[in-house]
Amino acid sequence: MNKKIGVILLIFIVSVLSACGNEASPSSGTSGEGKTTEKIKFATDAAYAPMEFMDKGVITGFDIDFVAAVMDEAGIDFEVTNTGWDAMLTSVKQGTEYKAGISSVSITEERKQSYDYSLPYFESTNMILFKEGAGITSALDLKDKKVAVQGSTTADTLMTEIVGKSNSNLKRLDSNALALMELSGGGVDAVVADVAIVQEYMKNNPDKPFDSVLDPENFASEYYGILYPKDSELKAKIDPAIKAIIESGKYAEVYKKWFGEEPDMTRLQEEINKASK
């Protein structure tokens, strides 16, 4: 090889490698349109339509659109993986692979012992779904009924308090989908689950002989939050973004897409104000 050509080639190769190294370097802290180079992995249980569910192999739902808006506002790249409920709780607590969880996770004092939460972003309550003619008007009517819930949820906690921990009539299943199948198949008299899930099920199954009832006296309002490991740095980055999308109207836009109406922000805003202090 001609020595002069060899030197020119060497200079060219070094220049290309240097350029590639700068482009891939995480030291700048941003990539694309101001997004951080680190991709945050969220875990979810995609079996909570319309909050999070699988549609043709893709995770979708209110929570997914909500977190996309929040992370875009915060300038943080992210992805959501369907891990299932128990695996989500375990993996987020460990905080190694999954740095956050979003799956209609109610904020409770018990969970606060093991996790950190974002600001509350959604108001919910539990609802009772039952066979028509069952004569159920409140949660107290379930004491002598067979009831299905998803285990390790607030529905499980509430029904355990009402019927007792060792009551064999309380069936704790791995998902709300299984609980609803149990009711449909006649294995239980009622299902207790989040109101959005029950209403979505009734909307999609109008021919089923089911009825539903809310019981605010025994099932108080709950508030969902993004779940983090203890002492996560993400909370300080994401909380301002949650406030921002609420103030900008983006939150209402996402809510209306999935629920067909404007959100009543009165009690949710009160909870956000309390959590911000």
Side-chain angles (χ1 to χ4, degrees):
M1 178 185 292
N2 184 291
K3 186 179 291 186
K4 185 175 181 180
I5 295 174
V7 171
I8 292 172
L9 285 173
L10 180 61
I11 293 172
F12 174 74
I13 292 169
V14 170
S15 298
V16 170
L17 289 174
S18 297
C20 291
N22 289 334
E23 186 179 6
S25 173
S27 61
S28 62
T30 60
S31 64
E33 297 182 1
K35 291 188 178 243
T36 59
T37 54
E38 181 185 8
K39 179 178 282 188
I40 302 301
K41 295 185 71 174
F42 282 74
T44 192
D45 178 14
Y48 278 67
M51 301 304 290
E52 46 269 319
F53 61 100
M54 301 301 297
D55 183 15
K56 298 177 182 177
V58 177
I59 307 173
T60 189
F62 172 85
D63 274 353
I64 307 306
D65 285 354
F66 163 77
V67 78
V70 168
M71 299 301 273
D72 183 63
E73 176 68 31
I76 303 174
D77 199 8
F78 79 104
E79 64 181 28
V80 182
T81 301
N82 182 22
T83 63
W85 180 257
D86 290 337
M88 177 195 68
L89 294 175
T90 300
S91 60
V92 172
K93 186 176 181 180
Q94 293 170 344
T96 49
E97 181 176 7
Y98 296 100
K99 305 299 183 182
I102 185 159
S103 194
S104 308
V105 185
S106 297
I107 300 171
T108 68
E109 293 303 316
E110 182 180 1
R111 286 179 182 149
K112 283 181 180 179
Q113 305 304 310
S114 302
Y115 304 92
D116 282 345
Y117 278 100
S118 71
L119 291 173
Y121 69 85
F122 191 90
E123 180 185 5
S124 182
T125 186
N126 278 281
M127 193 174 200
I128 306 166
L129 182 68
F130 53 92
K131 299 175 184 176
E132 288 180 351
I136 296 171
T137 60
S138 77
L140 299 183
D141 293 330
L142 299 175
K143 285 186 175 181
D144 299 318
K145 305 287 187 183
K146 292 181 178 179
V147 181
V149 297
Q150 179 171 345
S152 301
T153 62
T154 53
D156 182 3
T157 301
L158 290 166
M159 288 310 304
T160 297
E161 291 174 355
I162 290 171
V163 305
K165 187 174 183 178
S166 59
N167 192 322
S168 60
N169 283 336
L170 181 58
K171 293 190 175 183
R172 300 176 178 88
L173 303 175
D174 290 338
S175 70
N176 282 311
L178 291 175
L180 293 166
M181 287 175 61
E182 191 74 6
L183 176 63
S184 184
V188 294
D189 302 305
V191 165
V192 176
D194 290 351
V195 59
I197 295 166
V198 172
Q199 290 178 338
E200 182 75 3
Y201 181 81
M202 293 187 71
K203 183 180 76 174
N204 294 332
N205 297 275
D207 297 331
K208 296 276 188 182
F210 295 149
D211 205 348
S212 63
V213 66
L214 288 169
D215 182 0
E217 184 174 342
N218 292 290
F219 295 162
S221 288
E222 301 173 0
Y223 298 90
Y224 298 159
I226 297 172
L227 199 66
Y228 308 120
K230 272 293 186 182
D231 302 317
S232 171
E233 295 179 356
L234 278 177
K235 179 175 173 60
K237 299 176 182 178
I238 291 178
D239 277 359
I242 292 175
K243 287 184 177 181
I245 70 161
I246 289 175
E247 292 170 0
S248 71
K250 181 64 179 178
Y251 178 92
E253 180 183 321
V254 173
Y255 190 99
K256 192 171 183 178
K257 171 185 173 181
W258 289 101
F259 301 103
E261 60 185 10
E262 294 287 332
D264 182 350
M265 299 295 293
T266 307
R267 287 188 295 268
L268 178 59
Q269 191 61 60
E270 289 173 357
E271 290 297 313
I272 290 173
N273 293 341
K274 286 193 293 185
S276 299
K277 292 180 180 177

